[in-house]
Amino acid sequence: MPLLLFYVAAFSQGTVIHGIVVDAATNKPMANASVFINGTSRGTVTNSEGIFQLVPSPASSYEIIVSYVGYKTVQFIARPEDLAGRVRFEMTVQEAEAKNVVVEPDVKDGWEKWGRTFLETFIGKSELAAKCKLKNPEVLRFKYNSKTRILRVIATDALDIENSGLGYNIRYQLEQYEYRIRDGIVGYVGYQFYTPFETKKERKEKKYIAARLEAYSGSLMHFIRSAYSHKLLEEGFETRLLKKVERVDSSLMNGRYYKRVSKVDMLDKNILPDSAFIKTDSSGRYQFLVFEDYLDINYKKEKEKPAYVAAQYPVRKAYNPISQIWLVNRRPVQIDANGLFFDPMDMYTSGYWGWEKLAESVPSDYEPGD
């Protein structure tokens, strides 16, 4: 496991993180290691002596990511007060797959067979997704188990994605991807770093600004920020409690009874007050989402995208987008003013947010008008 050490030293500038990255085995500095704050446009690389300086955006917590080809990615969540000194990251070499573990072979011609499936479940199938390009598909390795119908994808280097719809280059460090085809469930874990396009054309810049605002409005990030500031209704979000209850249906066929168990949605029509699911810790500094069952979230200030309606409900018109969230591990999830939440694997989404993928994402240091 990567080791992180802190040196008590004067923090000359409260808004700058100072640090060094070294090889854990040799103690030698590592030049050109990537250091960035996950989900933001704040990042840098180490110099020839392994030293870096990083200017973060205002937040109550930072998820710092350090990556280097051939080494285990370092993920470190810290609060600003934890970084009042020089940070030292010790990186360890990525271990080869254990000899006593049965390893699935790579799929031959994996990109040709599974590339489209990966792009649609990772980047998406929206209008914005059509404007995204994966520039280095050669770093992907595909593994498919025909018995379980599970597709796994491994990346040997960070994915380089160009989103010409929003004007971002995205460097995505894919740590895990799994698609359970039989259940239609996709799960992936990774870290992303955004670099805005550089353009001197005012018309194109305005186009990017408008597209980013549209992508942000009604998004999960927008919801989390609104929840943190207790402005959900003001920002256009109506939140209701949703329960999924089992229903057993019986039918008689050929003299035998057959039972079928299904899930039925039971939606409470009352809009929940913020206090019903947003809690503050004893210090008054940190806020958490705490609730049972599901939250059903209706965003009233826009309509569903045509591609979503066409794919999900081709015979009806566009309505306000509705999404659901639930706490899969039944424990509180900390939320931040910038729209992040921790641990991200503790909260799942479905509905409209489940359809929106990487193509619709903006950096967590994004502000409307950027």
Side-chain angles (χ1 to χ4, degrees), residues 315-355:
V315 296
R316 71 158 171 79
K317 63 181 182 180
Y319 297 149
N320 299 127
I322 297 176
S323 306
Q324 297 79 37
I325 60 174
W326 68 97
L327 306 181
V328 64
N329 293 316
R330 298 182 177 274
R331 59 192 178 200
V333 168
Q334 183 184 341
I335 59 176
D336 212 331
N338 56 15
L340 295 178
F341 56 95
F342 307 101
D343 182 329
M345 294 303 293
D346 281 345
M347 189 169 78
Y348 282 13
T349 65
S350 61
Y352 201 71
W353 290 339
W355 176 76

Coordinates of all heavy atoms in Angstrom, one line a residue, residues 315-355:
V315 N -42.2 6.3 -27.4 CA -43.6 6.7 -27.8 C -44.2 7.9 -27.0 O -45.3 8.2 -27.1 CB -44.6 5.5 -27.6 CG1 -44.1 4.3 -28.5 CG2 -44.6 5.0 -26.1
R316 N -43.4 8.5 -26.1 CA -43.9 9.6 -25.4 C -43.0 10.9 -25.6 O -41.9 10.8 -26.1 CB -44.0 9.3 -23.9 CG -42.7 9.1 -23.1 CD -42.9 9.3 -21.6 NE -41.8 9.1 -20.8 CZ -40.8 9.9 -20.6 NH1 -40.7 11.0 -21.3 NH2 -39.8 9.5 -19.7
K317 N -43.6 12.0 -25.1 CA -42.8 13.3 -25.2 C -41.8 13.4 -24.1 O -41.8 12.6 -23.1 CB -43.8 14.4 -25.2 CG -44.6 14.5 -23.9 CD -45.5 15.7 -23.9 CE -46.3 15.9 -22.6 NZ -47.2 17.0 -22.6
A318 N -41.0 14.4 -24.1 CA -40.0 14.6 -23.1 C -40.6 15.2 -21.8 O -41.4 16.2 -21.9 CB -38.9 15.5 -23.6
Y319 N -40.3 14.7 -20.7 CA -40.7 15.2 -19.4 C -39.5 15.8 -18.7 O -38.4 15.8 -19.2 CB -41.3 14.1 -18.5 CG -42.6 13.5 -19.1 CD1 -42.9 12.1 -18.8 CD2 -43.5 14.2 -19.9 CE1 -44.0 11.5 -19.3 CE2 -44.6 13.6 -20.4 CZ -44.9 12.3 -20.1 OH -46.0 11.7 -20.6
N320 N -39.8 16.3 -17.4 CA -38.7 16.7 -16.6 C -37.8 15.5 -16.2 O -38.4 14.4 -16.0 CB -39.2 17.4 -15.3 CG -40.0 18.6 -15.5 OD1 -41.1 18.7 -15.0 ND2 -39.4 19.6 -16.2
P321 N -36.5 15.6 -16.3 CA -35.7 14.4 -15.9 C -35.9 14.0 -14.5 O -35.9 14.8 -13.6 CB -34.3 14.8 -16.2 CG -34.3 16.3 -16.2 CD -35.7 16.7 -16.7
I322 N -36.0 12.7 -14.3 CA -36.1 12.1 -12.9 C -35.0 11.1 -12.7 O -34.8 10.2 -13.5 CB -37.5 11.4 -12.7 CG1 -38.6 12.5 -12.9 CG2 -37.6 10.7 -11.4 CD1 -40.0 11.9 -12.8
S323 N -34.4 11.2 -11.5 CA -33.3 10.3 -11.2 C -33.5 9.7 -9.8 O -34.3 10.3 -9.0 CB -32.0 11.0 -11.2 OG -31.7 11.7 -12.5
Q324 N -32.8 8.6 -9.5 CA -32.9 8.1 -8.1 C -31.5 7.9 -7.6 O -30.6 7.6 -8.4 CB -33.6 6.7 -8.1 CG -35.1 6.7 -8.6 CD -35.3 6.8 -10.1 OE1 -34.5 6.2 -10.8 NE2 -36.3 7.6 -10.5
I325 N -31.4 8.0 -6.3 CA -30.1 7.7 -5.6 C -30.4 6.8 -4.4 O -31.5 6.9 -3.8 CB -29.3 9.0 -5.1 CG1 -30.2 9.8 -4.2 CG2 -28.9 9.8 -6.3 CD1 -29.4 11.0 -3.6
W326 N -29.5 5.9 -4.1 CA -29.6 5.1 -2.8 C -28.3 4.8 -2.3 O -27.2 4.9 -3.0 CB -30.4 3.9 -3.1 CG -29.8 2.8 -4.0 CD1 -29.1 1.7 -3.6 CD2 -29.8 2.7 -5.4 NE1 -28.6 1.0 -4.6 CE2 -29.1 1.6 -5.8 CE3 -30.3 3.6 -6.4 CZ2 -28.9 1.2 -7.1 CZ3 -30.1 3.2 -7.7 CH2 -29.4 2.1 -8.1
L327 N -28.2 4.7 -1.0 CA -27.0 4.4 -0.2 C -26.8 2.9 -0.2 O -27.4 2.2 0.7 CB -27.0 5.0 1.2 CG -27.4 6.5 1.2 CD1 -27.4 7.0 2.6 CD2 -26.4 7.3 0.3
V328 N -26.0 2.4 -1.0 CA -25.9 0.9 -1.2 C -25.3 0.2 0.0 O -25.7 -0.9 0.3 CB -25.0 0.6 -2.5 CG1 -23.6 1.1 -2.3 CG2 -25.0 -0.9 -2.8
N329 N -24.5 0.9 0.8 CA -23.9 0.3 2.0 C -24.6 0.8 3.3 O -24.1 0.5 4.4 CB -22.4 0.6 2.1 CG -21.7 -0.1 1.0 OD1 -21.9 -1.3 0.7 ND2 -20.7 0.5 0.3
R330 N -25.7 1.5 3.1 CA -26.5 2.0 4.2 C -25.7 2.8 5.3 O -25.9 2.7 6.5 CB -27.2 0.8 4.9 CG -28.2 0.1 4.0 CD -28.9 -1.0 4.7 NE -29.9 -1.7 3.9 CZ -31.2 -1.3 3.7 NH1 -31.6 -0.2 4.4 NH2 -32.0 -1.9 2.9
R331 N -24.8 3.6 4.8 CA -24.1 4.5 5.7 C -24.0 5.9 5.2 O -24.1 6.1 3.9 CB -22.6 4.0 5.9 CG -21.8 3.8 4.7 CD -20.5 3.0 5.0 NE -19.7 2.8 3.8 CZ -18.8 1.9 3.7 NH1 -18.6 1.0 4.8 NH2 -18.0 1.7 2.6
P332 N -23.9 6.9 6.0 CA -23.9 8.3 5.6 C -22.8 8.6 4.5 O -21.7 8.0 4.5 CB -23.6 9.1 6.9 CG -24.1 8.2 8.0 CD -23.7 6.8 7.5
V333 N -23.2 9.5 3.6 CA -22.2 9.9 2.5 C -22.0 11.4 2.7 O -22.9 12.2 2.7 CB -22.8 9.6 1.1 CG1 -22.0 10.3 0.1 CG2 -22.9 8.1 0.9
Q334 N -20.7 11.7 2.9 CA -20.3 13.1 3.1 C -20.4 13.9 1.8 O -20.0 13.4 0.7 CB -18.9 13.3 3.6 CG -18.5 14.7 3.9 CD -17.0 14.8 4.3 OE1 -16.4 13.9 4.8 NE2 -16.5 16.0 4.2
I335 N -21.0 15.1 1.8 CA -21.1 15.9 0.6 C -20.3 17.2 0.8 O -20.0 17.6 1.9 CB -22.6 16.3 0.3 CG1 -23.3 17.0 1.5 CG2 -23.4 15.0 -0.1 CD1 -24.7 17.5 1.2
D336 N -19.9 17.7 -0.3 CA -19.0 18.9 -0.3 C -19.6 20.0 -1.1 O -20.4 19.8 -2.0 CB -17.6 18.5 -0.9 CG -16.5 19.3 -0.2 OD1 -16.7 20.4 0.2 OD2 -15.4 18.8 -0.1
A337 N -19.1 21.2 -0.8 CA -19.6 22.4 -1.5 C -19.4 22.4 -3.0 O -20.1 23.0 -3.8 CB -19.0 23.7 -0.9
N338 N -18.3 21.7 -3.4 CA -18.0 21.6 -4.8 C -18.8 20.5 -5.6 O -18.6 20.3 -6.8 CB -16.5 21.4 -5.0 CG -16.0 20.2 -4.3 OD1 -16.7 19.3 -3.9 ND2 -14.7 20.1 -4.2
G339 N -19.6 19.8 -4.9 CA -20.4 18.8 -5.6 C -19.9 17.4 -5.5 O -20.5 16.5 -6.1
L340 N -18.8 17.2 -4.8 CA -18.3 15.8 -4.6 C -19.0 15.1 -3.4 O -19.6 15.8 -2.6 CB -16.8 15.9 -4.4 CG -15.9 16.4 -5.5 CD1 -14.5 16.4 -5.1 CD2 -16.1 15.5 -6.8
F341 N -18.8 13.8 -3.4 CA -19.3 13.0 -2.2 C -18.4 11.9 -2.0 O -17.8 11.3 -2.9 CB -20.8 12.6 -2.4 CG -21.0 11.8 -3.7 CD1 -21.0 10.4 -3.7 CD2 -21.3 12.4 -4.9 CE1 -21.2 9.7 -4.8 CE2 -21.5 11.7 -6.1 CZ -21.5 10.3 -6.0
F342 N -18.3 11.5 -0.7 CA -17.4 10.5 -0.3 C -18.1 9.4 0.6 O -18.8 9.8 1.5 CB -16.2 11.1 0.5 CG -15.5 12.2 -0.2 CD1 -15.8 13.5 0.1 CD2 -14.6 12.0 -1.2 CE1 -15.2 14.6 -0.5 CE2 -14.0 13.0 -1.8 CZ -14.3 14.3 -1.5
D343 N -17.9 8.2 0.4 CA -17.1 7.5 -0.6 C -18.0 7.4 -1.8 O -19.2 7.0 -1.7 CB -16.7 6.1 -0.1 CG -15.9 5.3 -1.0 OD1 -16.0 5.4 -2.2 OD2 -15.1 4.5 -0.5
P344 N -17.5 7.6 -3.0 CA -18.4 7.6 -4.2 C -19.0 6.2 -4.5 O -20.0 6.1 -5.1 CB -17.5 8.0 -5.4 CG -16.1 7.9 -4.8 CD -16.2 8.1 -3.4
M345 N -18.4 5.1 -4.0 CA -18.9 3.8 -4.2 C -20.0 3.5 -3.2 O -20.6 2.4 -3.3 CB -17.8 2.8 -4.0 CG -16.7 2.8 -5.1 SD -17.4 2.7 -6.8 CE -18.0 1.0 -6.8
D346 N -20.3 4.4 -2.3 CA -21.4 4.2 -1.3 C -22.8 4.7 -1.8 O -23.8 4.4 -1.2 CB -21.1 4.9 0.0 CG -20.1 4.1 0.8 OD1 -19.9 2.9 0.5 OD2 -19.6 4.7 1.8
M347 N -22.8 5.4 -2.9 CA -24.0 5.9 -3.4 C -24.2 5.6 -4.9 O -23.3 5.9 -5.7 CB -24.1 7.5 -3.2 CG -25.5 8.0 -3.5 SD -25.7 9.7 -2.9 CE -24.9 10.6 -4.2
Y348 N -25.3 5.0 -5.3 CA -25.6 4.6 -6.7 C -26.7 5.5 -7.2 O -27.5 6.1 -6.5 CB -26.0 3.2 -6.8 CG -24.9 2.2 -6.7 CD1 -23.6 2.5 -6.2 CD2 -25.1 0.8 -7.0 CE1 -22.6 1.6 -6.2 CE2 -24.1 -0.1 -6.9 CZ -22.9 0.3 -6.5 OH -21.9 -0.7 -6.4
T349 N -26.7 5.6 -8.6 CA -27.7 6.4 -9.2 C -28.4 5.6 -10.3 O -27.9 4.6 -10.8 CB -27.1 7.6 -9.9 OG1 -26.2 7.2 -11.0 CG2 -26.3 8.5 -9.0
S350 N -29.6 5.9 -10.6 CA -30.4 5.3 -11.7 C -31.3 6.4 -12.3 O -31.3 7.5 -11.9 CB -31.2 4.1 -11.2 OG -32.1 4.5 -10.3
G351 N -32.0 6.0 -13.3 CA -32.9 6.9 -14.0 C -32.0 7.8 -14.9 O -31.1 7.4 -15.6
Y352 N -32.3 9.1 -14.9 CA -31.7 10.0 -15.9 C -30.2 10.1 -15.6 O -29.3 10.1 -16.5 CB -32.3 11.4 -15.8 CG -32.0 12.3 -17.0 CD1 -32.6 12.0 -18.2 CD2 -31.2 13.4 -16.9 CE1 -32.4 12.7 -19.3 CE2 -31.0 14.2 -18.1 CZ -31.6 13.8 -19.3 OH -31.3 14.6 -20.4
W353 N -29.8 10.2 -14.3 CA -28.4 10.3 -13.9 C -27.7 9.0 -14.3 O -26.5 9.0 -14.6 CB -28.2 10.6 -12.5 CG -28.6 12.0 -12.1 CD1 -28.7 13.1 -13.0 CD2 -28.9 12.5 -10.8 NE1 -29.1 14.2 -12.3 CE2 -29.2 13.9 -11.0 CE3 -29.0 11.9 -9.6 CZ2 -29.6 14.7 -9.9 CZ3 -29.4 12.7 -8.5 CH2 -29.7 14.1 -8.7
G354 N -28.4 7.9 -14.2 CA -27.8 6.6 -14.6 C -27.5 6.5 -16.1 O -26.6 5.9 -16.6
W355 N -28.3 7.3 -16.9 CA -28.1 7.3 -18.4 C -27.0 8.3 -18.7 O -26.2 8.0 -19.6 CB -29.4 7.8 -19.0 CG -29.3 8.0 -20.5 CD1 -29.3 7.0 -21.5 CD2 -29.2 9.2 -21.2 NE1 -29.2 7.6 -22.7 CE2 -29.2 8.9 -22.6 CE3 -29.2 10.6 -20.8 CZ2 -29.1 9.9 -23.6 CZ3 -29.1 11.5 -21.8 CH2 -29.0 11.2 -23.1

